Amino acid sequence: MTTDEQVDGLDEEARSAVERMVAAVDGDWTTREATAIDDGGNETVAVTVETGDGVRECVLKATDEENGGGNLAAEAKLLRLLGAETAVPVPAVYGVVGDRADLPTPLFLMERVGGDPLPADASIPDDEMVAYARQVGRALGEVHDLDAFDGYGPVVDAERVDPSDAGGTRPLAREYGLALDDPRDSWEAQLAATAERMLDGLADGRFDDIVPDLRAAIDRRQRRLDLSGSPVLARIDHHPANMAVDRESRTVTGLLDWGLVRTAHPEYELVCAEHGFCGTDSLDSKRRERVRTALYEGYDGAAGLPSDGGFESRRRLHLLVFLAANMTWVSDWVTPETAEEVERDCREFVAELL
């Protein structure tokens, strides 16, 4: 993990809880320093740990009362899979505690990678952003090359799934204790269900008036497009704060926060990454074109891009569905100061896609 936005040091009670959590991972490790990290999700703490082999800079992720257990156990197992089976820059996992009544479990302790979060604004020069996009494209190509699942759905800890219901799981996923939650056999069915769930989430909210047009456009495009393909592991959440970079060398040092991973069509994941880099920039903007080209070049070198004529049409469909998903999350993270701007940008981008 990286140096996310940090908040003040922990009080005595919280510090004691962190010490107990670190000790649960390894009884011979002791906590020297602990600082809360505001990452918008589960309880996350930057921890300096004394071990028998010296000092380690770590990050502790644990369940909190507001978000529940989330998908922490699966995230830890997935990080171990990626660390062992790919060259993708992810933090090493030092230990996992799955179920303890006296601790906010599940929890896990991982390496704190170098670098800083990519700023979520337009201050980064295009050439620098292009360098990061190419590296991310290459990393996604590696992840998509893993033969882990043959169904579509959220990736979860296998212990949460009845073995008789663990469909869509290949030997590699089973080796690392991962499974799918209620998988579907086709991307067409999975995308339709995702779109419907997200559109329902937009109803009666700030975007309620554009839901009918969104639904009609998505339905129309789904009916006429070939959505066949093989499922891949998809990180989905490519928010800039979830990527650590060394800005001096223009190197991606860590791809973080894999708690939302699911299996998807590879082109949908490329759209998620494109949106993470470009947000609601116009489809015709030079910045988006440069970033998308670099993302595709990196990906093509690792996994190969589709060459059929429906690629661009599927991209627009996937952008519509992911934008609907993104708009359902707006109320959870948008601030009063930025609400009007965010809503305006989303509306303009929807209009362009329609």
Side-chain angles (χ1 to χ4, degrees):
M1 197 79 177
T2 185
T3 51
D4 292 17
E5 181 182 354
Q6 296 187 358
V7 296
D8 292 338
L10 305 175
D11 60 30
E12 185 175 345
E13 182 180 356
R15 164 75 183 230
S16 175
V18 168
E19 291 174 349
R20 290 187 288 111
M21 286 186 273
V22 170
V25 171
D26 192 313
D28 294 327
W29 289 13
T30 57
T31 301
R32 286 177 45 176
E33 297 180 12
T35 306
I37 296 175
D38 181 10
D39 74 346
N42 291 101
E43 181 178 333
T44 309
V45 183
V47 187
T48 301
V49 175
E50 184 75 51
T51 78
D53 298 322
V55 175
R56 292 189 185 184
E57 298 297 331
C58 307
V59 168
L60 177 70
K61 291 189 75 170
T63 299
D64 65 20
E65 294 181 0
E66 181 178 352
N67 294 299
N71 206 28
L72 293 182
E75 182 179 1
K77 291 179 177 182
L78 183 61
L79 288 174
R80 283 177 164 164
L81 185 159
L82 295 172
E85 306 292 339
T86 75
V88 174
V90 294
V93 175
Y94 296 137
V96 182
V97 181
D99 188 13
R100 279 271 298 268
D102 60 328
L103 295 174
T105 52
L107 63 85
F108 68 93
L109 188 69
M110 61 182 162
E111 169 192 19
R112 191 178 192 191
V113 303
D116 295 297
L118 189 66
D121 56 41
S123 65
I124 301 175
D126 287 3
D127 287 347
E128 183 180 349
M129 190 70 86
V130 161
Y132 300 143
R134 185 172 287 107
Q135 293 169 65
V136 169
R138 189 179 307 117
L140 294 182
E142 274 201 69
V143 175
H144 291 184
D145 198 43
L146 294 170
D147 183 17
F149 296 100
D150 54 15
Y152 294 92
V155 176
V156 298
D157 180 8
E159 294 183 11
R160 289 175 47 185
V161 178
D162 187 312
S164 64
D165 296 330
T169 305
R170 304 280 294 159
L172 179 63
R174 291 195 291 272
E175 178 184 346
Y176 286 90
L178 295 167
L180 294 179
D181 183 17
D182 192 21
R184 290 181 169 83
D185 293 333
S186 73
W187 177 238
E188 181 178 13
Q190 182 65 28
L191 186 66
T194 298
E196 192 60 32
R197 186 172 70 254
M198 296 307 170
L199 291 169
D200 285 346
L202 289 177
D204 300 322
R206 68 177 71 231
F207 298 107
D208 179 72
D209 59 302
I210 60 175
V211 169
D213 287 342
L214 268 172
R215 178 175 278 112
I218 290 171
D219 288 347
R220 183 175 64 253
R221 294 179 189 202
Q222 283 188 126
R223 286 196 301 270
R224 74 182 191 210
L225 291 174
D226 178 7
L227 297 174
S228 61
S230 299
V232 298
L233 280 168
R235 178 167 170 253
I236 301 296
D237 189 359
H238 292 273
H239 189 278
N242 294 336
M243 181 168 65
V245 299
D246 180 332
R247 296 198 62 186
E248 184 175 352
S249 65
R250 297 185 175 182
T251 301
V252 176
T253 58
L255 293 181
L256 314 170
D257 291 331
W258 293 76
L260 295 180
V261 168
R262 57 205 59 236
T263 52
H265 194 291
E267 294 171 26
Y268 185 74
E269 170 79 321
L270 287 172
V271 158
C272 295
E274 178 185 338
H275 190 82
F277 279 111
C278 303
T280 53
D281 289 353
S282 170
L283 293 174
D284 297 327
S285 73
K286 291 183 178 179
R287 181 181 177 88
R288 178 181 286 272
E289 181 60 28
R290 291 191 64 192
V291 167
R292 184 163 64 101
T293 297
L295 180 72
Y296 286 3
E297 287 174 350
Y299 186 87
D300 195 42
L305 285 170
S307 57
D308 67 280
F311 183 40
E312 180 58 27
S313 296
R314 290 192 299 271
R315 171 180 169 244
R316 286 193 173 235
L317 168 62
H318 289 148
L319 273 169
L320 277 172
V321 175
F322 186 70
L323 187 60
N326 204 52
M327 289 190 296
T328 63
W329 304 328
V330 163
S331 59
D332 292 333
W333 56 262
V334 72
T335 64
E337 295 77 19
T338 61
E340 289 188 9
E341 179 183 0
V342 169
E343 180 174 346
R344 183 196 66 232
D345 290 346
C346 287
R347 287 178 176 277
E348 289 179 354
F349 196 48
V350 167
E352 186 175 2
L353 287 169
L354 293 178

